[in-house]
């Protein structure tokens, strides 16, 4: 019997932007110094958009010493009534997951990853009957294998994908907004790797950042400023809300990075 993962997005666990945000890890998109106040404003708009789509937003305080701490997607993977708590793949981020685990402990069975295994939740995309897990600079095979054991126990499949050097996480260039559909960035992912998908919406390489989406049925949230991607999504039958993500993009973070959906 398949597991009970669904796309309800009833509750999101989030965290305030760190006052040390300017020091967040950034290896791909950075063009200038990221601005804390602007990031806070973007995050407020993001919270408002989630609420407007029916999500209850829970926000934990920022943690001192962790400039990336608002990217809660990386800190837990929920499979049914279990919360998998990873060892994060970047040394400056490992530790962010502790207070997330503490928070989730009331409602979920906590499963801790063994030492040496690493995984960022940003390398995990749920597609229908399986979890796609990116092997990246953050997620190693041991980390993927830990997730696979739990996913399989819950009745899901697991498919590994190599995340190319051109990008940080699998979710940076890939999402699954509805059953049967994958949104993928050209130049980063290849068709043969996604042959399981019934429909692939390819985002042109120059707008690859817009391949990261959050969907509520046929209502979709994408980053602002990606006209071709927006049109492609509308052509595919989605109504589209866009959000300004410029500050977060400076530190390689996308829409999904800002929350982990826990219900
Ligand atoms: N700045 C986001 C990350 O490197 O994980």
């Amino acid at each position: 019997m398949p597991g009970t993962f669904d796309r309800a997005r009833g509750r999101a666990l989030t965290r305030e932007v760190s006052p040390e945000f300017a020091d967040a890890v950034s290896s791909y998109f950075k063009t200038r110094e990221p601005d804390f106040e602007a990031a806070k404003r973007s995050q407020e708009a993001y919270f408002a958009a989630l609420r407007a789509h029916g999500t209850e937003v829970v926000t934990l305080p920022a943690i001192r010493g962790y400039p990336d701490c608002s990217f809660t997607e990386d800190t837990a993977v929920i499979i049914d009534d279990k919360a998998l708590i990873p060892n994060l793949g970047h040394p400056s981020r490992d530790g962010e997951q502790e207070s997330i685990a503490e928070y989730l402990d009331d409602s979920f069975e906590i499963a801790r990853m063994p030492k040496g295994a690493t995984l960022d939740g940003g390398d995990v995309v749920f597609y229908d009957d399986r979890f796609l897990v990116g092997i990246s600079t953050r997620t190693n095979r041991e980390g993927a294998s830990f997730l696979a054991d739990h996913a399989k126990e819950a009745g899901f499949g697991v498919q590994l994908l190599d995340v190319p050097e051109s990008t940080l996480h699998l979710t940076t260039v890939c999402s699954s907004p509805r059953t049967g559909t994958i949104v993928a960035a050209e130049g980063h992912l290849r068709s043969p790797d996604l042959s399981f998908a019934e429909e692939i919406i390819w985002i042109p390489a120059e707008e690859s950042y817009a391949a990261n989406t959050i969907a509520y049925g046929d209502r979709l949230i994408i980053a602002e400023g990606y006209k071709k991607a927006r049109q492609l999504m509308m052509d595919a039958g989605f109504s589209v809300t866009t959000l300004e993500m410029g500050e977060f993009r400076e530190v390689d973070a996308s829409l999904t990075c800002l929350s982990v959906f826990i219900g």
Side-chain angles (χ1 to χ4, degrees):
M1 173 179 149
T4 56
F5 189 101
D6 65 29
R7 297 165 181 269
R9 307 198 186 288
R11 209 154 184 242
L13 184 55
T14 70
R15 194 188 284 289
E16 290 171 353
V17 177
S18 163
E20 299 155 295
F21 177 70
D23 297 325
V25 182
S26 182
S27 313
Y28 296 88
F29 289 115
K30 194 166 185 174
T31 60
R32 57 176 168 75
E33 190 75 356
D35 184 83
F36 168 61
E37 293 296 338
K40 274 206 306 188
R41 286 194 295 277
S42 286
Q43 194 192 40
E44 278 308 317
Y46 174 89
F47 289 166
L50 294 194
R51 289 192 188 104
H53 286 81
T55 297
E56 178 195 347
V57 177
V58 177
T59 306
L60 303 178
I63 342 169
R64 200 179 172 83
Y66 289 96
D68 287 279
C69 67
S70 51
F71 307 132
T72 54
E73 175 182 57
D74 293 317
T75 60
V77 177
I78 305 295
I79 301 179
D80 293 346
D81 53 1
K82 241 183 231 174
L84 311 189
I85 303 297
N87 305 319
L88 296 195
H90 193 285
S92 77
R93 297 200 56 193
D94 199 31
E96 289 174 23
Q97 67 272 33
E98 295 311 322
S99 67
I100 296 283
E102 216 171 282
Y103 179 86
L104 294 175
D105 189 43
D106 282 347
S107 327
F108 293 89
E109 181 190 333
I110 301 292
R112 291 275 186 171
M113 185 173 270
K115 209 169 169 203
T118 63
L119 178 136
D120 283 6
D123 279 320
V124 181
V125 172
F126 177 70
Y127 172 85
D128 300 4
D129 59 348
R130 67 191 78 182
F131 288 87
L132 313 179
V133 184
I135 302 298
S136 70
T137 55
R138 302 290 178 85
T139 297
N140 63 19
R141 289 192 182 271
E142 292 77 14
S145 159
F146 169 81
L147 185 144
D149 289 346
H150 290 278
K152 284 175 187 164
E153 198 182 296
F156 295 107
V158 167
Q159 182 138 357
L160 302 187
L161 292 172
D162 285 322
V163 173
E165 283 177 13
S166 56
T167 192
L168 173 59
H169 285 135
L170 183 61
T171 55
T172 319
V173 290
C174 178
S175 54
S176 176
R178 66 183 167 207
T179 305
T181 300
I182 288 282
V183 179
E186 283 174 359
H188 297 276
L189 295 175
R190 301 171 329 123
S191 317
D193 295 332
L194 304 173
S195 56
F196 57 85
E198 287 166 30
E199 174 191 42
I200 305 175
I201 303 173
W202 285 106
I203 303 300
E206 69 276 16
E207 295 200 0
S208 66
Y209 185 75
N212 179 279
T213 68
I214 297 178
Y216 292 84
D218 285 340
R219 295 179 301 158
L220 196 67
I221 305 176
I222 65 170
E224 195 169 294
Y226 300 91
K227 282 189 183 162
K228 290 180 193 164
R230 183 168 181 270
Q231 189 60 53
L232 284 164
M233 302 302 186
M234 291 194 307
D235 292 347
F238 292 103
S239 65
V240 179
T241 298
T242 60
L243 288 177
E244 169 51 49
M245 288 292 289
E247 266 356 273
F248 292 116
R249 189 178 188 274
E250 290 297 319
V251 297
D252 304 332
S254 308
L255 288 163
T256 60
C257 301
L258 288 166
S259 49
V260 54
F261 290 96
I262 59 172

